[in-house]
Amino acid sequence: MYRIQSYAENSATYYYTTFLYNFKDLGIKYVTYYAFSTENWSRPADEVSALMKLFEQYLGDAEKYVKDNTRLIFLGDKSKFSEKLRLRMEELEEKSRDFDSMTVLLAMNYGGRDEIVRAARRAAALVKDRSITPDQIDESMFSSLLYTGGIPDPDLIIRPGGEKRLSNFLTWESAYSELYFTDVLWPDFNAKELDKALEDFAQRGRRFGGI
């Protein structure tokens, strides 16, 4: 069974639903989209404002996920968003928390390094209040403190648009992910392109550091 993380930095949010049924038909249980990074706040104010309005529109229509038994999780710091948007995220997470047909994760105000720093601070706080000892901090414990705690690490990361970097996406979780880069722009990345990525992935030998 595949787990796929789909990288789609700054793409229009209405594309997020494009492959939902394709993923389900293929038995893919987890899909992550990179919607808005911590660095994206530095973009022109009118562009950021337009994206926020697009997010509100998308999340307003997101009940389709709830009706489809699909769990929604938002990765990142919600505190910088408007109260309306933040409350909507929390509402969708709560409504879908027990659904298990598929999990869609939206990385919004997310950065991989920021996520690691946040987890390190949480670990330090736990040591400070004596909930744990430093020796109890291992990879498994640290992973549980990330935004993605309890979610499997990605098997495959797809980066459309011609760039050959991950741009601060799932920095910790992608240690052994297979990477697929394509020049196809995200709006043009259709079911046929998804099949190409999965076919490429199927040909790879994954040893996770072994022989």
Side-chain angles (χ1 to χ4, degrees):
M1 182 176 293
Y2 292 119
R3 293 187 301 274
I4 180 174
Q5 312 288 335
S6 178
Y7 183 105
E9 183 183 19
N10 302 325
S11 58
T13 51
Y14 62 82
Y15 281 107
Y16 294 163
T17 58
T18 302
F19 301 116
L20 180 61
Y21 295 107
N22 297 76
F23 291 141
K24 284 192 173 183
D25 290 343
L26 290 166
I28 294 169
K29 299 287 289 184
Y30 299 91
V31 181
T32 302
Y33 294 97
Y34 203 176
F36 192 84
S37 74
T38 50
E39 294 78 20
N40 288 154
W41 294 105
S42 63
R43 296 205 168 196
D46 57 344
E47 182 179 337
V48 172
S49 178
L51 283 169
M52 293 302 112
K53 290 178 181 177
L54 198 58
F55 291 150
E56 286 186 12
Q57 177 186 337
Y58 170 72
L59 296 184
D61 296 333
E63 288 295 331
K64 60 174 68 72
Y65 285 123
V66 176
K67 294 176 182 177
D68 221 20
N69 199 39
T70 298
R71 185 182 182 190
L72 278 177
I73 297 175
F74 295 91
L75 308 180
D77 180 6
K78 300 183 183 72
S79 66
K80 289 198 69 173
F81 293 112
S82 68
E83 182 180 16
K84 178 181 178 181
L85 195 54
R86 187 174 66 253
L87 291 175
R88 180 58 173 158
M89 291 181 195
E90 293 171 355
E91 177 188 17
L92 288 167
E93 285 183 324
E94 181 60 30
K95 281 185 175 181
S96 66
R97 65 183 304 119
D98 296 322
F99 295 163
D100 58 6
S101 69
M102 183 179 177
T103 299
V104 173
L105 302 98
L106 296 178
M108 296 175 64
N109 193 28
Y110 171 88
R113 290 181 175 181
D114 179 73
E115 178 183 34
I116 292 170
V117 169
R118 174 182 175 276
R121 287 173 177 163
R122 291 183 66 190
L126 290 171
V127 171
K128 184 178 180 180
D129 68 16
R130 298 185 179 181
S131 296
I132 61 171
T133 65
D135 290 342
Q136 289 177 291
I137 303 174
D138 56 16
E139 287 188 18
S140 177
M141 187 271 180
F142 191 82
S143 292
S144 73
L145 300 178
L146 298 170
Y147 289 124
T148 55
I151 302 296
D153 288 340
D155 290 323
L156 173 65
I157 295 178
I158 298 172
R159 174 71 196 251
E163 303 291 354
K164 291 181 171 58
R165 61 175 183 268
L166 297 185
S167 299
N168 207 14
F169 180 59
L170 298 181
T171 306
W172 174 277
E173 299 89 342
S174 64
Y176 280 101
S177 301
E178 296 294 323
L179 308 180
Y180 180 85
F181 299 102
T182 174
D183 291 332
V184 176
L185 299 176
W186 171 242
D188 300 318
F189 192 90
N190 54 26
K192 182 178 179 180
E193 296 300 328
L194 175 62
D195 287 341
K196 286 182 184 178
L198 295 177
E199 287 170 7
D200 181 88
F201 173 77
Q203 301 302 313
R204 303 189 187 187
R206 307 188 71 204
R207 296 183 295 275
F208 299 97
I211 296 176

